[in-house]
Amino acid sequence: MTLARSARACALLLALTVAAFFSLHTGDAQAAGFGDFLRENMAPVMFAALVVFLLLGYPVAFALAANGLLFALVGIELGMFQENFLQALPERIYGT
């Protein structure tokens, strides 16, 4: 995959993520249906996003980290994940 093509794919993925995030945050009726879909199918959507990250050519460690943090933010917006769990992240990284 050429550099320009992968940059376009990354930009498209980022744009879709931002659009989904803001549609969840606005609370309109269409976003409620999308939020319900994500609540019901979080694991398959996470797996599909991981496959997309890997197919874009990102290393596995970065793809796993980005996928986890991205869906942690989505989970916080959906009320499925508590924000204070992310506060332990620096302790886990620098505490070894």
Side-chain angles (χ1 to χ4, degrees), residues 57-91:
Y58 290 108
V60 173
F62 295 134
L64 286 170
N67 198 30
L69 289 174
L70 172 72
F71 280 94
L73 294 175
V74 171
I76 289 170
E77 283 297 314
L78 292 175
M80 298 172 59
F81 189 73
Q82 296 177 5
E83 293 178 29
N84 56 0
F85 288 149
L86 290 179
Q87 291 176 352
L89 193 61
E91 290 287 327

Side-chain angles (χ1 to χ4, degrees), residues 5-32:
R5 188 173 174 190
S6 65
R8 275 186 263 146
C10 291
L12 177 64
L13 183 65
L14 182 65
L16 289 174
T17 304
V18 168
F21 184 76
F22 283 119
S23 70
L24 285 174
H25 194 63
T26 57
D28 58 356
Q30 186 178 15

Side-chain angles (χ1 to χ4, degrees), residues 32-78:
F34 185 67
D36 290 338
F37 173 77
L38 274 179
R39 275 189 199 94
E40 299 290 325
N41 300 305
M42 183 69 81
V45 172
M46 282 181 75
F47 181 74
L50 179 63
V51 169
V52 168
F53 280 134
L54 292 174
L55 287 176
L56 286 174
Y58 290 108
V60 173
F62 295 134
L64 286 170
N67 198 30
L69 289 174
L70 172 72
F71 280 94
L73 294 175
V74 171
I76 289 170
E77 283 297 314
L78 292 175

